[in-house]
Amino acid sequence: MAKENPIQLSDHFTYGKLIRFTIPSIAMMIFSSVYGVVDGFFVSNFAGKTAFAAVNFIMPVLMIMGTFGFMFGTGGSALISKTMGEGDKPKANRIFSMLTYISLGTGIVLGLLGCLFLRPLAGLLGAEGELLENSIVYGRIILLALPAYMLQMEFQSFFVTSEKPQLGFWVTVGAGVTNMVLDGLFVAVFQWGLVGAAWATAISQMVGGFLPLVYFFRPNTSLLRLGKTVFDGRALLLTCTNGFSELLGNISMSLVAVLYNVQLMKFAGEDGLAAYGVLMYVSMIFFSAFMGYSVGTAPVIGFHFGAGNHDELKNLLKRSVIIIGTLSVCMFFTSELIARPMATFFVGYDTDLLELTVRGFRVYSFMFLFAGMGIYGSSFFTALNNGIVSAVISALRTLGFQVLAILLFPVFWGTDGIWISEVFAEAMTVVMVVICLVLFRKRYRYW
């Protein structure tokens, strides 16, 4: 009888084996984005463009809080897989349990603080009138599910580390189907508008975050299981250091999104916010493929790093660069082809908004030629337990290159300059990744 999952972290990875092992993680990330797109479709078409703009306005703030779970997941997976590569499975399980409990507690605290300070924060960012009220209504409902959302993001990495990426995918499918069904029921049938969309998302996040808790608490066939643990300050520090780049990257992207919103309001008004929302939904799907591949390969890299298998590190890096490069070219041409159909899907009811969105799409899509390598490069160093280099790449990609571009380019090219900013930032990030790979090749011997 064949094993449920014959591919192990310790294996030698061919192109076929790499793709088979990472496909569940890629599908998991993409599906998470797809049900977010469905959420946006229902809000835009049934609640109107002001409600749609409100969701896109407040979402960066909510994402900043949720990405702490991604930090615990990516940083913890690097440490756990390295520990397993060193042959200490009991310690790996203790670290896994500790990080899960800490993530849950952090989610509760951040959710409560978010509910208290959401209104003054949204006002400080420039929301007023109906946009402000819609943002508060949507945000507070989502924050009720923040602990579950943080666990959901964390378990996306832990499922791969436990050699159960397929199970992670099916949990994501369950959460996504829940969101899509409830969106149709709450928004289209019951006509609850923005409130209905928010509850659909919150309930789906609870499904995605709490179901894995049940699985890992029970006896299972994975490499990891939740149980008794002790506080390990050093392991927590290493986790936060390793995962800080992903935390910084996600927070930075959210802060930059806020800056994009400010610039779009200045140069294109509320229509600019809605157009940017469409671009974000589509780019979220494409980014998810890169992130899924990075999440899927990170535990493999961490394991072979811990085991001192430098030949396999060389093999993984070489094959990954080729896979990412091929995927990037395919995404660019696909995005050019679907620009008008996707814009019509979301905002076809408004001709001016439609043309603004299509124009943005055509320029923005060049970014996909470069984004994959930047995302993978940061993840690669996280997997090597070098959070500092990973954080530098993430910080330059978002807070450095993007902030510079978004402040400067619109002065010369108006709204087009806003779309060009992302292309510039991703291209410069690839340059930084290559520099870092060259500088650290002797230390890690992956070259």
Side-chain angles (χ1 to χ4, degrees):
M1 178 182 290
K3 293 181 180 180
E4 178 186 353
N5 182 14
I7 302 177
Q8 299 179 338
L9 299 180
S10 57
D11 287 353
H12 167 68
F13 282 78
T14 61
Y15 283 110
K17 189 172 286 188
L18 260 178
I19 292 171
R20 291 199 309 274
F21 190 75
T22 57
I23 278 293
S25 298
I26 295 172
M28 175 173 62
M29 291 288 190
I30 290 177
F31 197 84
S32 297
S33 300
V34 168
Y35 75 73
V37 170
V38 173
D39 202 44
F41 167 78
F42 277 101
V43 172
S44 181
N45 286 275
F46 290 90
K49 67 180 183 182
T50 300
F52 184 53
V55 171
N56 294 304
F57 179 84
I58 203 63
M59 188 57 71
V61 177
L62 305 177
M63 291 297 295
I64 287 175
M65 299 179 190
T67 50
F68 280 91
F70 199 52
M71 177 188 72
F72 289 131
T74 54
S77 289
L79 180 60
I80 292 166
S81 58
K82 177 176 178 289
T83 303
M84 288 193 293
E86 294 167 344
D88 196 344
K89 185 177 178 180
K91 182 179 179 181
N93 272 290
R94 289 196 300 271
I95 295 172
F96 166 64
S97 299
M98 178 191 72
L99 294 176
T100 300
Y101 304 148
I102 289 176
S103 181
L104 180 61
T106 302
I108 294 171
V109 172
L110 289 178
L112 291 173
L113 291 175
C115 287
L116 287 174
F117 295 104
L118 194 61
R119 178 176 289 276
L121 182 57
L124 184 64
L125 294 174
E128 56 185 22
E130 189 177 0
L131 181 66
L132 173 62
E133 295 307 318
N134 283 338
S135 298
I136 300 305
V137 168
Y138 185 85
R140 283 181 173 165
I141 293 173
I142 297 298
L143 285 170
L144 295 176
L146 183 64
Y149 180 56
M150 285 183 59
L151 288 175
Q152 182 179 6
M153 297 191 75
E154 182 177 55
F155 283 126
Q156 286 177 343
S157 295
F158 286 156
F159 270 123
V160 181
T161 307
S162 66
E163 294 184 347
K164 293 292 182 180
Q166 295 91 342
L167 185 56
F169 167 70
W170 287 114
V171 169
T172 302
V173 169
V177 171
T178 299
N179 193 20
M180 289 186 279
V181 171
L182 293 182
D183 265 328
L185 185 64
F186 293 170
V187 182
V189 178
F190 295 164
Q191 297 185 351
W192 291 350
L194 195 64
V195 172
W199 276 114
T201 299
I203 293 171
S204 72
Q205 289 172 351
M206 293 177 189
V207 171
F210 294 147
L211 278 183
L213 276 181
V214 176
Y215 173 78
F216 283 113
F217 265 124
R218 296 171 58 85
N220 61 73
T221 57
S222 77
L223 296 180
L224 299 174
R225 185 180 174 189
L226 287 170
K228 293 182 179 180
T229 188
V230 293
F231 180 76
D232 187 336
R234 182 175 181 275
L236 180 60
L237 178 61
L238 286 173
T239 294
C240 294
T241 302
N242 291 339
F244 180 71
S245 58
E246 277 68 27
L247 174 68
L248 178 64
N250 280 278
I251 288 179
S252 299
M253 282 192 292
S254 296
L255 291 175
V256 169
V258 171
L259 184 56
Y260 270 90
N261 288 339
V262 172
Q263 291 290 74
L264 283 164
M265 284 292 287
K266 177 180 178 181
F267 286 92
E270 195 172 287
D271 278 3
L273 285 180
Y276 182 57
V278 176
L279 267 62
M280 286 299 96
Y281 280 124
V282 176
S283 65
M284 201 163 50
I285 295 175
F286 286 178
F287 274 12
S288 294
F290 295 131
M291 293 175 64
Y293 183 83
S294 299
V295 167
T297 54
V300 182
I301 295 166
F303 183 94
H304 287 286
F305 171 60
N309 191 348
H310 302 291
D311 288 338
E312 188 61 20
L313 286 180
K314 295 176 184 177
N315 172 63
L316 289 166
L317 177 60
K318 176 185 175 181
R319 295 183 190 278
S320 293
V321 169
I322 293 173
I323 291 172
I324 291 289
T326 303
L327 193 58
S328 298
V329 173
C330 292
M331 285 185 179
F332 166 70
F333 285 109
T334 301
S335 62
E336 288 289 326
L337 288 173
I338 67 172
R340 184 166 293 275
M342 287 300 296
T344 303
F345 179 75
F346 281 99
V347 294
Y349 53 81
D350 188 315
T351 303
D352 291 338
L353 177 55
L354 173 64
E355 293 306 318
L356 175 64
T357 305
V358 172
R359 172 68 179 176
F361 226 125
R362 300 290 189 198
V363 178
Y364 189 83
S365 61
F366 282 90
M367 173 265 299
F368 297 122
L369 291 170
F370 310 104
M373 197 59 216
I375 292 171
Y376 180 77
S378 178
S379 173
F380 184 75
F381 282 101
T382 296
L384 292 173
N385 285 256
N386 192 330
I388 295 177
V389 174
S390 183
V392 169
I393 294 172
S394 292
L396 287 174
R397 176 176 173 241
T398 50
L399 289 180
F401 300 134
Q402 282 201 38
V403 168
L404 174 66
I406 192 62
L407 291 175
L408 185 62
F409 288 5
V411 175
F412 299 101
W413 298 299
T415 305
D416 281 350
I418 298 176
W419 314 134
I420 296 172
S421 299
E422 186 86 24
V423 181
F424 169 81
E426 297 295 352
M428 292 303 298
T429 303
V430 173
V431 175
M432 284 304 306
V433 168
V434 172
I435 291 173
C436 290
L437 286 173
V438 171
L439 289 177
F440 289 91
R441 67 188 188 282
K442 292 183 179 179
R443 177 189 296 187
Y444 298 108
R445 295 160 62 186
Y446 47 67
W447 196 312

